[in-house]
Amino acid sequence: MKFVFKSTGILLLSGAIVISGCSGGSGDSNNTDQAVDFNKTGLPIVEETISLKMVSPKAALAPEYSEMEIFKRLEEETNVNIEWENIPDTDFAEKKNLLLASGNLPDAFYGAGFSDYELINYGEDGTIIPLEELIEQYAPNLKALLDRRPDIKTSITAPDGHIYGLPSWEENNLGTNPFFHVINKKWLDKLGLSMPKTLDEYTEALVAFKTQDPNGNGKADEIPLSFMHMQWCMDIAGMFGAFGLPDNLEHRIVRDGKVIFTATQPEYKEALKYFHEKWYKQGLIDPESFTQDAAQYLAKGKTTDETLGSYIWWEKEEVVGPERAQDYELLAPLIGPDGSQTIGRSNGGGPGRGAFVITKENQNPEITMRWIDQQYEPYMAAQIHWGPLDVVFEKDENGKLVNLPLPDGTSAGEFRQKVAPGTGGPGVITNEDFGKVVDMEPRAQQRAKDLEKYYDPYMEKENYPSIFFEPEELDNINKIETELIKYVNTERGKFIVDGGIDEQWDRYVETLEKMGLNELMEIYQNALDRYNANLNNNNN
């Protein structure tokens, strides 16, 4: 019996699909004028090896993907050879845009990092193809995931109803609060101070750090508090929670389904007044906090004499080193003047939806979808993200992937670059997979424990999810938000350093309204309402 699929030129014969290849934009002789025995299920995917061209970013320490063990194993299992064009990740966005503009397209972009704007626009003009029918027919692993998790399906579905890019996600909730607040416990003990619980007690500790020579070298070289203004995981945004309204890098939170712009609220104003009067005027804030880069910041934790009293970072050890880290402890959210004690919940946090796209030049989208679907099987997804079995993992008696010891002299982050595509690669590891399919890395396990102990009890209940905006909404957001946030962040720094917030507050708010703040918040609110409605529909 023969079925003809006109859209793809597929003939189904006796359980195997014979794909009649045609010459196309890939320029690959292996894909030209060939009949391929394609297995819709099972492995290998094709009886005779076929090649696909893919473009992907590559981390600095990573080998070419053709030399990476995980991809060698995939080729052996599937008979699909990938002709990789690896581009250094620092140059990838620019090179990707040049390829898209020139029309010199591969069969697919892997670890593609396509933005929502790119997914929508290149999807609408046909540069990349919709994937939902291919998922339905040829991606049982991904289909099962989307059926089980309608929230993921909602997140990756464009406003026009199509899926143009595939997800990448490690659902470990480790980024719910990026701002780990650290204090020098050794100095507190030396000065006879308790671990601060309130904002004022913390301020008293900073004053003591500045004035009482806790490192004992007879020099006024102590830095009471250092951070990086408005930078990921290094900012003081979490401390705004002591005034009842935590901040974040977007200045946007959600409470009871309502979107709030934090940087015009009275709590935000009170926080900035406190930081200026109590901290900056007393010399407790490192003045370089508003200009330093990460290298300068990290160096302050590793001076010969211990000079850093308090800081914010993703983890203690990276700033001060593993040996000195024992002198420091994490601080829970501080209790503010009115008794508030809260920490923000980061926005987004859902799956990336542009990790893999198939272009219009691809003559074998069914084979491509079957190949990428292997990476949505949970055990393979874990290996794509962290590295292969017998290199990074071994299986324990329950069949769970557990971490092997790292090679001597290699950090987990460095080793991961060498053996796996990493976080930007396709594949989803859900919460239920952790502890069942795969163990978290040791440093991730520690972070999870720290979040549970110090921050989760005080965390905001809602956040702004990763929403797929309409094209017109994206245009308006791009038109308004960049300059508006730049202005807010500049004024935030000025208010902390120079003060004058009471006199200048009304002017500041009026300027934001003229820049389109109300229109911007209306877009975010409407999109959130639509997202919640779609999520409810998918759940039903």
Side-chain angles (χ1 to χ4, degrees), residues 259-283:
V259 184
I260 300 170
F261 189 73
T262 59
T264 55
Q265 305 305 314
E267 297 93 336
Y268 181 90
K269 179 183 177 183
E270 290 304 309
L272 293 182
K273 284 178 66 175
Y274 187 101
F275 299 154
H276 171 69
E277 293 290 335
K278 301 286 188 176
W279 292 355
Y280 198 86
K281 279 181 69 174
Q282 294 193 76

Side-chain angles (χ1 to χ4, degrees), residues 341-357:
Q341 187 180 21
T342 183
I343 193 79
R345 183 180 294 274
S346 293
N347 290 328
R353 47 183 161 252
F356 187 86
V357 301

Side-chain angles (χ1 to χ4, degrees), residues 53 82 112 145 201 330:
K53 288 190 174 182
I82 307 301
L145 172 69
E201 289 173 354
L330 293 177

Side-chain angles (χ1 to χ4, degrees), residues 70-318:
I70 192 68
F71 290 122
K72 290 181 179 179
R73 294 182 187 180
L74 274 172
E75 179 176 351
E76 290 177 3
E77 293 172 357
T78 64
N79 274 349
V80 178
N81 169 62
I82 307 301
E83 296 183 2
W84 292 104
E85 180 181 351
N86 284 136
I87 298 170
D89 51 11
T90 52
D91 302 327
F92 180 70
E94 180 182 356
K95 295 287 181 62
K96 176 187 71 177
N97 291 337
L98 288 173
L99 287 171
L100 290 163
S102 70
N104 182 22
L105 299 172
D107 292 311
F109 286 91
Y110 183 98
F114 268 54
S115 68
D116 291 355
Y117 197 81
E118 291 168 334
L119 290 172
I120 288 174
N121 282 281
Y122 289 120
E124 286 186 343
D125 72 14
T127 301
I128 59 176
I129 66 172
L131 305 176
E132 60 275 3
E133 291 186 11
L134 290 167
I135 294 170
E136 184 70 24
Q137 296 184 61
Y138 303 110
N141 293 310
L142 181 53
K143 182 180 183 300
L145 172 69
L146 299 183
D147 288 345
R148 187 171 73 251
R149 291 290 301 271
D151 58 319
I152 299 177
K153 185 175 182 180
T154 297
S155 183
I156 68 173
T157 301
D160 65 5
H162 290 304
I163 296 173
Y164 294 111
L166 300 188
S168 176
W169 198 18
E170 295 164 15
E171 191 188 19
N172 50 29
N173 294 324
L174 297 183
T176 50
N177 166 39
F179 308 113
F180 272 29
H181 188 185
V182 185
I183 194 167
N184 194 319
K185 181 65 164 53
K186 180 181 177 181
W187 286 6
L188 290 174
D189 293 342
K190 182 176 182 179
L191 299 173
L193 298 172
S194 300
M195 181 67 72
K197 294 182 179 179
T198 70
L199 191 65
D200 287 342
E201 289 173 354
Y202 177 68
T203 300
E204 291 170 9
L206 296 184
V207 171
F209 290 171
K210 179 178 175 62
T211 60
Q212 297 183 33
D213 190 27
N215 67 8
N217 67 359
K219 303 175 184 177
D221 57 353
E222 288 85 359
I223 301 171
L225 169 62
S226 191
F227 58 91
M228 289 176 63
H229 179 66
M230 294 310 303
Q231 297 296 316
W232 168 252
C233 92
M234 317 100 162
D235 184 60
I236 57 172
M239 298 189 199
F240 283 72
F243 296 86
L245 193 74
D247 196 21
N248 55 41
L249 301 187
E250 299 87 24
H251 306 294
R252 181 176 8 101
I253 68 169
V254 178
R255 282 183 171 172
D256 298 323
K258 300 301 179 185
V259 184
I260 300 170
F261 189 73
T262 59
T264 55
Q265 305 305 314
E267 297 93 336
Y268 181 90
K269 179 183 177 183
E270 290 304 309
L272 293 182
K273 284 178 66 175
Y274 187 101
F275 299 154
H276 171 69
E277 293 290 335
K278 301 286 188 176
W279 292 355
Y280 198 86
K281 279 181 69 174
Q282 294 193 76
L284 307 182
I285 292 177
D286 176 9
E288 293 183 347
S289 295
F290 302 92
T291 56
Q292 63 191 340
D293 60 23
Q296 293 170 304
Y297 184 50
L298 294 174
K300 290 174 178 176
K302 302 177 180 70
T303 50
T304 302
D305 291 329
E306 206 162 272
T307 57
L308 192 55
S310 188
Y311 60 92
I312 298 97
W313 192 258
W314 185 259
E315 60 190 7
K316 290 190 299 182
E317 290 78 7
E318 194 164 0

Side-chain angles (χ1 to χ4, degrees), residues 323-369:
E323 292 185 8
R324 192 173 283 180
Q326 64 187 353
D327 295 343
Y328 292 80
E329 287 191 14
L330 293 177
L331 274 170
L334 297 165
I335 301 170
D338 66 353
S340 295
Q341 187 180 21
T342 183
I343 193 79
R345 183 180 294 274
S346 293
N347 290 328
R353 47 183 161 252
F356 187 86
V357 301
I358 298 177
T359 76
K360 64 182 180 182
E361 299 299 328
N362 191 315
Q363 301 301 314
N364 296 298
E366 301 84 5
I367 293 173
T368 307
M369 181 55 70

